[in-house]
Amino acid sequence: MGLKRIAFALVVLGIVVWAVFPFAWAIVTSLKAGSALFTVEAWPSQPSLANYGAIFKEQPFGRNILNSLMAASAVVALSLGLAVLAAYALGRVGFRGRGLLLFVVLGVSMFPQVAVLSGLFELCLL
């Protein structure tokens, strides 16, 4: 039983390393400056936060983040409000075609989102 647990822990560790490595590599790369970007090292020999300072000095990065945060918050609030009203209506109000509508919603939710979006690309081309 102990060997199975160790094997399972190693598999989980491998999956975590596989998933987290790109983020760790991006952070390590962001701490490099200039030509050091082309050297392969686990940790930069001379880490620098100059890249982070340059983002805020050379571009309106803070303003862009604030704009994105406001837009995302507004979209989430509007979507959540409409979804709550629709869910209440579908759950409590009886109307003709309700079962079919719920079946269609369930059927669409079983497909991956990419498969659902391909139909939208067809509509955009028309």
Side-chain angles (χ1 to χ4, degrees):
M1 195 67 150
L3 188 59
K4 286 184 180 180
R5 283 187 172 210
I6 292 172
F8 179 72
L10 288 175
V11 168
V12 169
L13 181 66
I15 291 171
V16 168
V17 168
W18 180 266
V20 172
F21 179 74
F23 298 106
W25 187 256
I27 291 170
V28 167
T29 304
S30 73
L31 296 173
K32 295 179 181 180
S35 62
L37 286 171
F38 302 106
T39 61
V40 178
E41 34 188 21
W43 188 256
S45 57
Q46 295 176 340
S48 170
L49 296 175
N51 292 333
Y52 293 102
I55 283 177
F56 289 99
K57 288 178 186 173
E58 297 173 9
Q59 299 176 7
F61 186 72
R63 185 68 171 157
N64 293 342
I65 291 293
L66 183 63
N67 288 344
S68 296
L69 185 65
M70 289 187 325
S73 299
V75 166
V76 166
L78 181 66
S79 298
L80 190 60
L82 290 174
V84 164
L85 293 173
Y88 182 80
L90 287 173
R92 295 287 183 174
V93 179
F95 55 90
R96 187 175 48 196
R98 176 176 166 230
L100 179 64
L101 181 61
L102 288 172
F103 183 72
V104 168
V105 168
L106 178 64
V108 169
S109 66
M110 289 191 299
F111 290 103
Q113 297 301 319
V114 174
V116 175
L117 288 177
S118 63
L120 291 177
F121 291 128
E122 290 289 328
L123 289 174
C124 292
L125 293 176
L126 296 177

